[in-house]
């Protein structure tokens, strides 16, 4: 349950309040940035929140239990410190982003809506889309290798062992690895793991049932 300051609640009830959104971002190196959808800059907790950044709220998915939840925000490039070089260098990866609902007439009156982690900044023309993940998103990430039929090596890397010629490719299937590349000894998958077809298999009338076809 959100804790709404009594003064803010009173101003909302009286109709004297003007509300806007403010995003406060803290990078892993400690640098703090701020953005707002108000038409003028605001200062929140000593951070200049720029109206010129063009940030607007996108789709938000709130969740309960162990679901991660997600949100997006859209903004302009090269405004408020979000230049392409810094994005490419990964300066914003994993940054914490908090969304606040603020009384722009009295910025000290505000309520925090959520806190998420910046998963990715994706360029879309002259703007960027910030993809934000809930605190439980880490539980959904695959760590280590997965158990499947296809090879999980990168074609031509040390685990693969094939010297990839320009334009050559591999679809990571056992048949391709053995017949096209002759590299079955380095196949990094489990080609004989049972699939969905195994669950629906049943004995046929007549013939031998000694498991020879498995």
């Amino acid at each position: 349950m959100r804790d709404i300051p009594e003064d803010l609640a009173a101003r909302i009830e009286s109709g004297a309040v003007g509300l806007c959104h403010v995003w406060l971002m803290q990078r892993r190196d400690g640098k703090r940035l701020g953005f707002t959808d108000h038409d003028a800059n605001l200062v929140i907790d000593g951070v200049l929140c720029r109206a010129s950044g063009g940030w607007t709220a996108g789709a938000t998915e709130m969740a309960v239990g162990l679901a991660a939840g997600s949100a997006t925000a859209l903004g302009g490039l090269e405004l408020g410190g979000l230049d392409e070089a810094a994005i490419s260098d990964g300066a914003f990866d994993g940054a914490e982003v908090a969304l606040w609902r603020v009384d722009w007439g009295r910025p000290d009156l505000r309520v925090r809506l959520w806190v998420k982690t910046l998963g990715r900044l994706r360029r879309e023309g002259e703007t960027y889309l910030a993809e934000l993940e809930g605190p439980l998103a880490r539980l959904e990430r695959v760590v280590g290798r997965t158990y499947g039929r296809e090879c999980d090596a990168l074609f031509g890397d040390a685990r693969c062992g094939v010297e990839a010629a320009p334009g050559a490719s591999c679809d990571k299937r056992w048949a391709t690895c053995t017949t096209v590349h002759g590299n079955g000894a380095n196949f990094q998958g489990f080609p004989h793991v049972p699939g969905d077809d195994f669950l629906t298999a049943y004995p046929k009338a007549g013939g031998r049932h000694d498991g020879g076809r498995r």
Side-chain angles (χ1 to χ4, degrees):
M1 184 174 180
R2 298 187 180 96
D3 183 18
I4 301 177
E6 292 183 3
D7 289 351
L8 177 58
R11 285 173 61 82
I12 293 175
E13 291 177 0
S14 68
V17 66
L19 298 176
C20 64
H21 290 101
V22 167
W23 292 263
L24 292 178
M25 176 190 294
Q26 180 163 329
R27 302 190 329 193
R28 289 183 299 174
D29 61 5
K31 184 175 181 178
R32 302 176 70 196
L33 300 170
F35 310 91
T36 179
D37 59 6
H38 186 43
D39 57 6
N41 294 343
L42 298 173
V43 176
I44 306 294
D45 288 341
V47 178
L48 176 63
C49 301
R50 301 174 181 270
S52 60
W55 273 51
T56 57
T60 300
E61 177 185 315
M62 306 303 291
V64 296
L66 294 178
S70 63
T72 59
L74 192 69
L77 282 168
E78 299 182 358
L79 293 169
L82 291 182
D83 60 275
E84 287 192 271
I87 293 173
S88 299
D89 291 342
F92 297 95
D93 294 350
E96 180 184 272
V97 179
L99 175 63
W100 293 80
R101 194 67 164 155
V102 178
D103 179 352
W104 53 262
R106 282 192 55 187
D108 59 305
L109 298 180
R110 55 188 180 271
V111 58
R112 192 176 71 183
L113 302 181
W114 47 249
V115 177
K116 298 186 183 295
T117 301
L118 182 58
R120 185 171 64 146
L121 280 170
R122 185 175 76 247
R123 178 166 181 167
E124 294 189 348
E126 294 303 316
T127 64
Y128 59 84
L129 182 68
E131 298 180 358
L132 306 166
E133 301 174 339
L136 297 179
R138 294 181 182 180
L139 299 179
E140 298 181 346
R141 294 174 184 163
V142 177
V143 178
R145 298 184 62 189
T146 58
Y147 186 65
R149 290 183 176 182
E150 295 184 350
C151 178
D152 63 1
L154 294 176
F155 184 53
D157 70 2
R159 295 175 61 228
C160 170
V162 170
E163 186 175 346
S169 63
C170 180
D171 60 9
K172 300 183 180 295
R173 295 188 303 123
W174 167 253
T176 304
C177 184
T178 54
T179 61
V180 177
H181 303 295
N183 193 40
N186 290 326
F187 188 74
Q188 301 296 323
F190 305 90
H192 305 301
V193 61
D196 294 341
D197 54 342
F198 178 78
L199 299 177
T200 59
Y202 60 92
K204 295 182 179 180
R208 299 172 57 186
H209 303 290
D210 58 2
R213 297 189 64 182
R214 292 288 176 192

